[in-house]
Amino acid sequence: MRRVRWLSAAAVVLVLGYVAADVADVAPGLLTLDPATTGPAPTRPAPSDPAREPLPPAMPALATDAPAPTPEGVSRVLDPLLSVDQLGPQTSATVIDAATGDVLLDQFGTSLRVPASTAKLLTGAATLSTVGGATTLATRAVQGGSADEVVLVGGGDVMLGTGASKLDQVHGHAGLRTLAAQVAKALSAAGRSQVAVRFDDSAFAGPTVSPGWSATDLQIGFVGHITALGLDDDLAAVNHPGPADPSLAAGQAFAQALRRQGITVVGNVVRTRASADAKVLGEVRSAPVADVLGVALTTSNNTIAEVLARLTAKAMQRPATFEDSALAVMDQVQRLGVDVGGSHLTDGSGLAAGSAVTSQVLTDLLVLASGGSTPALRPLLAGLPVSGFTGTLAERFDRPLTQDAAGTVRAKTGTLTGVNSLAGTTVDADGRLLVFAVMSDRVPVGGTTLARRASDRVAAALTACGCR
């Protein structure tokens, strides 16, 4: 009986893992009609692994005098592709000429749709324009209430390495071994070799888990607990769930790093609140926020996106909670000059239920980022996955009807059960930069893979045509 129960539990875990992989663009949907790909599954790096080095995408040069597409030409090419059953009924789509701002296609462009991970575009824009892309996040060690107490204070870096700082990388850019060496030197200068270690993650407030997430989201690793302090190795990934308390795990890793520096650590590592004027014993800083955002966009990392949303709320003098972070993001997008209308978010990543955004909002934001009036937003485009090369588009645009667009389409993907979205830029056959968004939130059951391919065909067709 015990063996049967164990096998049943294992089967449940495997099924849940496959469902998560479906939504995370790792595997075909459970009920997809497409035949499964044969052969061994490709090895996918965890978020803490170094990024793969792709071949440079062949990005066409923009023609300054490129002929402009016409709405009639775009509609003639895209209308049949947007009406396919794989995308479900009433797919929203908007296409804009980036140079002129002219709307070339508006199919239910002002209708609210579930954005899924394209919500990260809004979070990214808000973060870049408030926190700043060049900003780095400090993780400090300060003296506690007594001389024999050291407090690790988190500033929002959840990509801390356990070793030496890796200044040429985003993951592990700030390392606890480097921080511990600084602290050990300061303690030695003060004649101390024994301390108690505490940690302070009070930079963020409220629950660490959104009420709009399911328990499975955490169990499978779709997202982790959102705290102001965390290890890169603990970032949640599919089939690699994060710890229940990332801040505690970081504090314990810091204590171990101190021990390796010859410092005796006594007692348990516990949460506390450091004094605002506490003496700083050491500090390490993250990679620039623009680079951190690039990881969130390219790999569609929900945890990092939620952290960036909280940093945005703090920059706007709001509480760093789920509710206030989502409100802060939308407020800032509105301040940038984008008419958000009835669009709203319930979290910063697009994972929680209840968010609704229009394709027009996404394209208006991308047009703003592609122009010269708001240079702070340029990293938003640089962080987008590249078709056939990087991130969530690395293994897409590889079929006969889409492969010619590989390396040209740069777009944020969005996938949830019944939801498929794609928003980004491309360069058409005449060298014209176009911005587009395709949003479907009534995808047929089990049709995740087919819907993705259908939206890829829309982007590829837009790339191939002069559409005049």
Side-chain angles (χ1 to χ4, degrees):
M1 176 66 83
R2 184 172 300 171
R3 176 177 174 81
V4 171
R5 287 177 179 170
W6 183 89
L7 288 172
S8 298
V12 170
V13 171
L14 287 173
V15 170
L16 289 176
Y18 195 85
V19 171
D22 172 20
V23 182
D25 294 332
V26 176
L30 277 172
L31 301 178
T32 189
L33 301 178
D34 285 7
T37 303
T38 58
T43 300
R44 289 178 176 272
S48 57
D49 293 337
R52 290 181 294 175
E53 294 294 334
L55 294 173
M59 182 69 177
L62 298 181
T64 56
D65 57 349
T70 66
E72 295 76 17
V74 173
S75 292
R76 183 175 62 251
V77 172
L78 296 192
D79 284 354
L81 299 176
L82 291 167
S83 62
V84 296
D85 293 341
Q86 292 93 328
L87 291 175
Q90 296 189 342
T91 293
S92 293
T94 305
V95 178
I96 299 180
D97 185 329
T100 64
D102 291 342
V103 178
L104 302 174
L105 181 78
D106 179 2
Q107 178 172 295
F108 303 110
T110 58
S111 297
L112 293 171
R113 298 283 185 259
V114 177
S117 281
T118 56
K120 293 181 177 69
L121 293 172
L122 306 178
T123 296
T127 302
L128 291 170
S129 55
T130 56
V131 179
T135 298
T136 57
L137 309 173
T139 302
R140 296 186 175 96
V142 304
Q143 185 172 297
S146 63
D148 61 354
E149 185 177 86
V150 174
V151 183
L152 181 67
V153 182
D157 188 355
V158 294
M159 303 172 75
L160 291 167
T162 55
S165 296
K166 300 176 181 178
L167 301 182
D168 60 341
Q169 297 185 29
V170 181
H171 294 282
H173 189 91
L176 292 182
R177 182 191 303 167
T178 298
L179 181 60
Q182 296 173 15
V183 174
K185 182 177 180 180
L187 291 174
S188 177
R192 308 201 67 85
S193 60
Q194 178 175 295
V195 296
V197 172
R198 310 285 184 252
F199 65 92
D200 180 353
D201 62 353
S202 61
F204 295 170
T208 62
V209 175
S210 168
W213 299 343
S214 70
T216 302
D217 292 330
L218 292 165
Q219 293 165 0
I220 296 301
F222 247 2
V223 71
H225 288 258
I226 308 305
T227 60
L229 184 62
L231 300 175
D232 187 67
D233 286 342
D234 285 342
L235 273 177
V238 174
N239 294 326
H240 177 70
D245 191 340
S247 298
L248 173 59
Q252 291 170 335
F254 177 59
Q256 183 62 24
L258 282 176
R259 292 187 185 99
R260 289 173 176 162
Q261 294 292 327
I263 303 298
T264 300
V265 177
V266 298
N268 295 324
V269 177
V270 297
R271 186 176 270 103
T272 191
R273 180 72 69 95
S275 173
D277 59 354
K279 179 182 178 180
V280 177
L281 303 176
E283 176 184 288
V284 288
R285 304 192 75 94
S286 73
V289 163
D291 295 339
V292 175
L293 173 62
V295 173
L297 293 175
T298 302
T299 65
S300 205
N301 188 286
N302 294 316
T303 305
I304 298 175
E306 295 296 344
V307 168
L308 293 174
R310 274 169 165 66
L311 293 172
T312 299
K314 286 181 66 66
M316 297 178 69
Q317 307 301 311
R318 302 184 72 138
T321 64
F322 278 104
E323 181 179 7
D324 280 278
S325 296
L327 291 172
V329 166
M330 293 309 302
D331 284 351
Q332 180 59 21
V333 171
Q334 180 85 48
R335 290 181 185 180
L336 287 170
V338 176
D339 182 3
V340 300
S343 296
H344 57 276
L345 297 178
T346 54
D347 67 1
S349 62
L351 180 61
S355 293
V357 176
T358 69
S359 59
Q360 179 178 295
V361 166
L362 295 179
T363 51
D364 284 352
L365 185 62
L366 289 167
V367 168
L368 189 63
S370 68
S373 63
T374 316
L377 298 186
R378 292 296 291 181
L380 192 69
L381 301 183
L384 293 176
V386 179
S387 54
F389 284 89
T390 62
T392 54
L393 287 183
E395 295 176 21
R396 291 171 58 168
F397 290 84
D398 58 353
R399 301 173 73 82
L401 294 178
T402 59
Q403 60 190 9
D404 287 346
T408 303
V409 176
R410 297 162 182 251
K412 183 70 201 75
T413 57
T415 309
L416 292 170
T417 302
V419 178
N420 178 80
S421 53
L422 188 68
T425 68
T426 191
V427 178
D428 74 4
D430 293 321
R432 198 85 178 185
L433 181 66
L434 304 178
V435 168
F436 70 91
V438 180
M439 305 180 74
S440 305
D441 58 7
R442 295 172 64 186
V443 172
V445 175
T448 297
T449 300
L450 296 177
R452 283 200 295 261
R453 290 175 182 170
S455 61
D456 290 353
R457 286 194 292 272
V458 172
L462 189 63
T463 304
C465 104
C467 293
R468 294 190 297 278

